[in-house]
């Protein structure tokens, strides 16, 4: 993984995490917003400005890619680099959770 990109995205913001998480299958900004709202029981609401700024940056950085436009909505999907970033963040979160419960990782 490119170290510069890793430093920019790890640790991830909740917004960044959920955007990548939701783009494991093709989606558009509004669809992501609705999916995140459902996943979090309304606790995380992503504003349009934050959503489209994040999508633009992630696309420029190679974490997601434009797939097609459908009914004036740009649809994106996660790239292999984005998947690597997401998996790195998931491992980090799992480690935090294990440590918070007092579980030993023994070299993990």
């Amino acid at each position: 993984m490119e170290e510069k990109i890793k430093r920019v995205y790890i640790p991830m913001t909740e917004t960044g995490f959920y955007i990548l998480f939701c783009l494991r299958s093709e989606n558009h900004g509004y669809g992501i917003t609705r999916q995140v709202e459902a996943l979090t029981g309304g606790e995380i609401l992503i504003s349009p400005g934050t959503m489209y700024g994040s999508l633009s940056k992630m696309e420029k950085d190679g974490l997601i890619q434009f797939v097609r436009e459908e009914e004036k909505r740009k649809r994106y999907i996660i790239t292999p680099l984005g998947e690597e970033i997401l998996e790195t963040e998931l491992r980090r979160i799992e480690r935090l959770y294990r440590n918070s419960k007092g579980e030993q990782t023994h070299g993990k």
Side-chain angles (χ1 to χ4, degrees):
M1 177 183 339
E2 188 178 318
E3 287 304 310
K4 179 183 177 224
I5 296 293
K6 186 176 180 179
R7 282 194 309 272
V8 169
Y9 286 96
I10 305 291
M12 295 188 85
T13 63
E14 280 187 287
T15 298
F17 173 85
Y18 279 113
I19 290 171
L20 284 182
F21 185 80
C22 291
L23 286 174
R24 293 174 303 156
S25 58
E26 190 181 305
N27 210 338
H28 51 75
Y30 182 69
I32 295 166
T33 300
R34 301 287 299 167
Q35 190 175 354
V36 170
E37 186 177 353
L39 284 169
T40 65
E43 288 187 29
I44 308 260
L45 303 172
I46 304 174
S47 72
T50 298
M51 173 61 67
Y52 295 105
S54 295
L55 289 173
S56 177
K57 180 170 178 23
M58 287 179 170
E59 183 181 21
K60 182 175 80 64
D61 290 341
L63 275 63
I64 64 171
Q65 67 184 28
F66 171 78
V67 177
R68 63 193 160 94
E69 191 165 325
E70 183 179 274
E71 298 176 12
K72 298 185 180 180
R73 294 180 194 261
K74 288 184 176 182
R75 299 182 68 85
Y76 298 91
I77 195 153
I78 195 169
T79 64
L81 175 61
E83 289 175 358
E84 189 176 345
I85 295 280
L86 183 61
E87 286 301 315
T88 299
E89 181 65 359
L90 282 168
R91 284 192 305 273
R92 187 186 75 81
I93 292 167
E94 287 170 347
R95 185 185 70 244
L96 289 171
Y97 180 77
R98 280 193 313 270
N99 290 339
S100 75
K101 298 297 180 191
E103 298 174 18
Q104 298 296 319
T105 58
H106 298 293
K108 287 187 182 176

